[in-house]
Amino acid sequence: MTTTGTVRMLLGALLATALLAGCRTEEVPERGAIDAPPGAPEPVWAAPLETAVREIDGDMPGDFGVYVRRLGEDAGTLDRAGDRRWYLSSTVKVPVAIAVLERVDAGELSLDRELVLAESDFVDGAGDMLAQEPGTGFSIAALLEKSLRDSDSTATDMLIRLLGEDALNRRIAEWSGGGFGPITTILQVRYDAYGALHPGVADLPNTALLRLRNAEAGEPRLAALARELGVPRAALDADDLESVFGAYYETGRNAATLEGFATVLEKLVTGRLLSPASTGLLLDHMRAISTGGARIQAGLPAGVDFAQKTGTQLARACNVGVLDPGRGAEGATLVLACAEDFDDLGQAERAFRALGGALAEVALAAPAG
């Protein structure tokens, strides 16, 4: 079979899956809903993929949510995520980038404009911004690349600071039609999570929270937080780190329904949000991310066009993206998936990888576009 035939076969299957890490703020309705456009038959790929994803979910400790929407011929959706919101972690960097590029398209911003790194911008995470000197200037173009390709949270927070959280959330609500909880800076996630343990957290500088990354996740990190606050460990209202972040996930911040996120991705790849140049720039960054090799992509055949973004936090992992995004409304497939409450990240990554493999295995040849 030709590479093109393999890709199209995959797309037919890849239409049926998605993983996003989420927060459990409401009861999960019955899953496995399959839908098609009015008057169209049920998409042939959906039922076998639903069966495969159900088995993957059953094998993974915790919970696994998947939403897949295929555009074009054999269009339809598979929803194994329900109408609850899932914690998004770093996948929020996609709507942040869209909001920035929307203002570039409107002539309100230039990709060449420089933002100055402040010490207050530093937040733990991947990428190289933590090694840079405060006072250094970075173009918006460079920050977008770092945020999307390297998942650099410091670069992301600089862009959110430029946009303003309120303005960002208004735009996301407009694109999605609802389904998203409030989106904040990555640094604010840390303040909100740890702030529930002691009122003194609000007065800590971001550099104090940054130092917590030097302590192992779990009890050593809570002990380190107590030292930063200058209080005994017993003064922190927490039994363990898992309960700290579990309570934060319940707030619904930085979370969304996978259907709502899929609506944003559909508008992106069908040219309803950004100019062709900005759409192409964003998708190229998503194709080149440095964090996706162990997830859905690991189960797909080599050469499949997959523009994606991952996200990871304690007991949460996500992978969202678009298969064959260049086909747009004629055949792109939106894939969103979340894993939560697993025992270790390797379990979630195996589920993501199995999802990619299931997409390939159960896919039927996509109609020629």
Side-chain angles (χ1 to χ4, degrees), residues 126-128 145-152 284-294 297 308-310:
D128 67 359
E145 180 173 346
K146 291 175 181 293
S147 174
L148 291 167
R149 296 194 181 203
D150 301 330
S151 206
D152 195 304
D284 281 348
H285 285 326
M286 292 174 67
R287 289 180 174 106
I289 70 168
S290 59
T291 58
Q297 187 176 35
Q308 60 171 321
K309 184 72 189 78
T310 62

Side-chain angles (χ1 to χ4, degrees), residues 207-262:
T207 50
L209 296 184
L210 182 61
R211 285 192 291 271
L212 297 183
R213 68 184 178 137
N214 297 323
E216 182 181 351
E219 182 58 30
R221 192 160 298 173
L222 292 176
L225 176 61
R227 289 194 296 273
E228 292 290 349
L229 289 165
V231 300
R233 165 65 179 87
L236 301 186
D237 185 19
D239 293 329
D240 52 53
L241 193 64
E242 289 77 10
S243 65
V244 172
F245 278 87
Y248 174 76
Y249 299 143
E250 291 285 348
T251 69
R253 298 186 188 100
N254 296 292
T257 65
L258 300 194
E259 181 179 14
F261 204 143

Side-chain angles (χ1 to χ4, degrees), residues 13-76:
L14 298 171
L15 292 174
T17 191
L19 305 167
L20 266 201
C23 76
R24 190 179 292 280
T25 58
E26 45 195 87
E27 288 300 312
V28 180
E30 184 178 354
R31 296 185 183 172
I34 295 172
D35 199 10
E42 180 178 293
V44 296
W45 50 265
L49 186 59
E50 195 280 331
T51 299
V53 174
R54 184 172 0 106
E55 292 177 356
I56 295 168
D57 188 10
D59 289 342
M60 192 201 83
D63 205 3
F64 190 60
V66 171
Y67 184 95
V68 178
R69 182 185 300 172
R70 180 183 174 87
L71 310 180
E73 293 185 64
D74 205 24

Side-chain angles (χ1 to χ4, degrees), residues 22 25 171 178 182 189 252 259 263 275 279 288 314 356:
T25 58
R171 297 309 298 142
V189 172
E259 181 179 14
T263 296
S275 68
T279 300
L314 187 67

